[in-house]
Amino acid sequence: MNKFFLFIILFAALISCAKKEEFKESIIKEKSLDLQVLEAYQEGMKNLESGDVIYAAKKFNEAEILFPQSDWAPKSALMAAYSYYTQDYYADTIAELERFLRVYPLSKNLDYVYYLLGVSYYEQIVDEKKDLQSIIKAKKYFEILIQNYPNTNYSLDAEFKIELVNDTLAAKEMYIGRYYFDKKKWIPAINRFKTVIDNYDTTLYAEEALHRLVEVHYILGLKDEAKKYANLLGYNYQSSIWYEKTYSIFDKKYEENIKKRKKEKTKKNKTLKKIKSLFSLDG
């Protein structure tokens, strides 16, 4: 009985010692792993500062993979994306950020992720006639940011950039609308100009779009419809050059009178200059 009891005590002691040793070994390994992660992260930062962004991103990815459960993992993933962004590697930046959203959907830095995604597409916009995909994606991510994280500095800048994006989209619609107008394809032209009025009424193209709608409907003989858009243009933009052009459609003498007044003003200015020269010291 005593032998059995001693065996039980020894067995328990061995198990306890084994657990203690295992625990100590686990702590050593964890510390070693943390150190490796930190070294990889620091090397990534060093190379980012020196301009070697490809190698920097590689080291940040390495830090993430070494300890994916640590707090360093999402930070490293985000730094990898930022490294690519600093040298305009937009495709790599976007790929890293989209992966980040899949792997870390509860990250506290999602506002920055959406902002950087929007900016990565936004900065690829060169021509409104060609870069439609970048325009749409930029607007999409900026809108997600504004909707979900409204009280951030990123959101404020996103609102400003959306205004510029809308200007670009309106410019595209106007470009196509003018093309249809020149080709006398009235219905497609009307649809494009209406899109500007309906979706981008705060842009600088809204005035011209209203004027073009007046023109098209007047040409088609739909004078009541033309007057409707003319009244809308007059109510909102009475002092604009497009209102003057619209007014001249209904009053052909109006444009002639404007030209006549400009000539008279020019003539008056010349006369005043002549009179002034008579009384100058040089005269």
Side-chain angles (χ1 to χ4, degrees):
M1 182 70 178
N2 289 335
K3 287 182 180 179
F4 182 72
F5 182 73
L6 289 171
F7 173 77
I8 293 295
I9 292 173
L10 179 62
F11 181 76
L14 289 171
I15 292 295
S16 176
C17 289
K19 284 185 177 179
K20 284 179 182 178
E21 289 299 321
E22 185 179 343
F23 180 69
K24 286 179 183 178
E25 190 177 338
S26 174
I27 290 173
I28 292 168
K29 281 184 178 178
E30 190 171 313
K31 283 183 178 178
S32 176
L33 197 55
D34 268 340
L35 186 60
Q36 290 178 59
V37 171
L38 185 59
E39 286 176 352
Y41 189 91
Q42 287 175 337
E43 196 172 346
M45 290 297 294
K46 181 181 176 182
N47 282 277
L48 175 60
E49 289 169 5
S50 67
D52 190 353
V53 298
I54 301 296
Y55 189 70
K58 180 183 175 183
K59 296 309 293 185
F60 287 128
N61 286 144
E62 184 182 312
E64 180 190 6
I65 293 166
L66 278 168
F67 201 170
Q69 290 80 29
S70 74
D71 291 337
W72 287 102
K75 292 178 184 177
S76 300
L78 205 49
M79 286 305 299
Y82 178 74
S83 299
Y84 288 126
Y85 171 75
T86 59
Q87 292 295 325
D88 300 341
Y89 294 124
Y90 295 119
D92 295 300
T93 304
I94 290 164
E96 286 287 341
L97 292 170
E98 288 178 342
R99 183 180 68 83
F100 187 99
L101 290 174
R102 292 193 301 271
V103 179
Y104 308 106
L106 301 178
S107 169
K108 62 182 180 180
N109 294 313
L110 290 183
D111 55 344
Y112 180 75
V113 173
Y114 284 117
Y115 177 72
L116 194 54
L117 269 168
V119 169
S120 295
Y121 280 110
Y122 178 83
E123 291 183 0
Q124 294 183 73
I125 301 170
V126 178
D127 187 334
E128 72 273 7
K129 300 184 285 292
K130 299 175 183 176
D131 302 323
L132 185 58
Q133 187 68 13
S134 294
I135 296 168
I136 291 171
K137 285 290 184 75
K139 187 175 182 181
K140 170 191 168 185
Y141 287 118
F142 286 144
E143 285 178 338
I144 291 173
L145 172 63
I146 292 166
Q147 183 178 350
N148 296 327
Y149 310 96
N151 301 316
T152 63
N153 290 330
Y154 304 130
S155 183
L156 289 173
D157 190 54
E159 287 177 4
F160 171 72
K161 285 184 167 57
I162 280 184
E163 289 179 9
L164 298 178
V165 167
N166 284 338
D167 276 343
T168 305
L169 288 169
K172 180 187 75 71
E173 294 296 332
M174 289 303 301
Y175 172 81
I176 298 171
R178 290 189 208 102
Y179 170 81
Y180 285 135
F181 183 88
D182 292 339
K183 297 293 181 181
K184 295 182 172 54
K185 295 183 177 181
W186 308 122
I187 301 304
I190 287 172
N191 290 336
R192 294 293 177 169
F193 298 140
K194 277 187 175 179
T195 297
V196 175
I197 302 306
D198 294 339
N199 299 335
Y200 312 111
D201 60 322
T202 59
T203 69
L204 53 87
Y205 295 97
E207 300 169 42
E208 183 186 351
L210 283 168
H211 169 71
R212 299 293 181 183
L213 285 169
V214 173
E215 275 189 313
V216 175
H217 286 98
Y218 193 87
I219 290 168
L220 293 174
L222 303 171
K223 294 187 179 180
D224 288 339
E225 196 72 9
K227 285 179 181 178
K228 181 185 82 173
Y229 289 111
N231 290 334
L232 190 58
L233 180 59
Y235 180 79
N236 291 288
Y237 312 102
Q238 191 166 358
S239 62
S240 75
I241 187 173
W242 294 109
Y243 177 71
E244 289 187 358
K245 287 178 180 290
T246 292
Y247 197 95
S248 67
I249 291 173
F250 296 98
D251 185 355
K252 300 301 179 184
K253 290 183 179 180
Y254 179 76
E255 193 168 358
E256 292 175 13
N257 290 335
I258 289 176
K259 289 179 180 177
K260 187 178 178 181
R261 283 200 298 272
K262 284 181 179 179
K263 284 182 181 178
E264 287 174 354
K265 189 176 180 181
T266 303
K267 188 177 179 181
K268 183 180 177 182
N269 288 338
K270 286 180 179 178
T271 304
L272 287 170
K273 282 181 181 179
K274 285 180 180 179
I275 294 169
K276 188 179 177 181
S277 65
L278 292 174
F279 296 97
S280 67
L281 293 174
D282 295 332

